[in-house]
Amino acid sequence: MKVILQKVTEASVTVDSEIVGQIDRGYLLFLGILQGDTSAQAELLAEKITKTRLFDSADGKINDQSILDVQGSILVVSQFTLAGRLEKGNRPDYSRAAPPEDAKVLYEYFIRKLEQMGVQKVESGEFGAYMGVSLVNDGPVTLIIER
């Protein structure tokens, strides 16, 4: 599994010009699921993300608080293109991406795990849909996390 985490002040995702997910302060997660990924990996990834400290404390100490500490929100967007590779030629190779039916199960499991770990608000895009994503990156802070 591969995640691009962006700390945001706001983010939204639209399908057919309609907002399907929207958050204020928190994380926008682009989630790529690869062949062979498991629910155990999804759980470890959700735990890592909820415990990562990217928010400053009230007294200004940097990277002192987690998404749970600040009661932030998370927007999860499926993105199979994170499995893409460009080692050969100029056309991305997505053959490492999990089959859609397997990926959807892990995507939904990952979202449930974030909720179970105490994230106040978890929103999502629409799996497999063509989506428009808007965000205001805070910092900017962007991390790539793999499990």
Side-chain angles (χ1 to χ4, degrees):
M1 298 185 98
K2 186 183 285 190
V3 169
I4 295 182
L5 177 157
Q6 293 190 306
K7 182 180 162 193
V8 298
T9 56
E10 62 184 66
S12 64
V13 60
T14 59
V15 175
D16 296 328
S17 301
E18 290 190 37
I19 295 174
V20 296
Q22 185 172 22
I23 63 165
D24 291 321
R25 182 182 192 204
Y27 297 153
L28 169 61
L29 305 178
F30 293 103
L31 176 65
I33 299 172
L34 309 177
Q35 290 181 23
D37 284 347
T38 66
S39 58
Q41 286 171 284
E43 191 166 343
L44 286 171
L45 194 57
E47 184 176 356
K48 183 65 153 177
I49 288 167
T50 57
K51 291 182 177 180
T52 297
R53 297 183 298 172
L54 295 176
F55 297 91
D56 298 349
S57 65
D59 62 3
K61 185 173 181 183
I62 64 168
N63 295 335
D64 191 47
Q65 295 188 304
S66 72
I67 192 85
L68 300 176
D69 296 329
V70 300
Q71 298 179 350
S73 304
I74 294 180
L75 174 59
V76 183
V77 176
S78 62
Q79 190 166 352
F80 82 94
T81 61
L82 289 176
R85 297 166 62 180
L86 283 168
E87 281 85 17
K88 298 178 185 175
N90 296 317
R91 184 179 304 222
D93 172 12
Y94 301 115
S95 61
R96 293 185 327 151
E101 57 278 359
D102 296 340
K104 185 174 183 181
V105 170
L106 280 178
Y107 170 75
E108 291 170 351
Y109 180 80
F110 176 75
I111 290 168
R112 283 194 311 275
K113 280 295 160 189
L114 291 171
E115 293 168 340
Q116 290 170 1
M117 290 181 180
V119 178
Q120 297 254 320
K121 179 180 179 182
V122 180
E123 298 264 323
S124 63
E126 185 179 314
F127 185 89
Y130 185 88
M131 295 175 274
V133 180
S134 297
L135 68 125
V136 177
N137 194 312
D138 185 13
V141 175
T142 302
L143 299 171
I144 299 171
I145 307 167
E146 296 185 67
R147 281 278 179 248

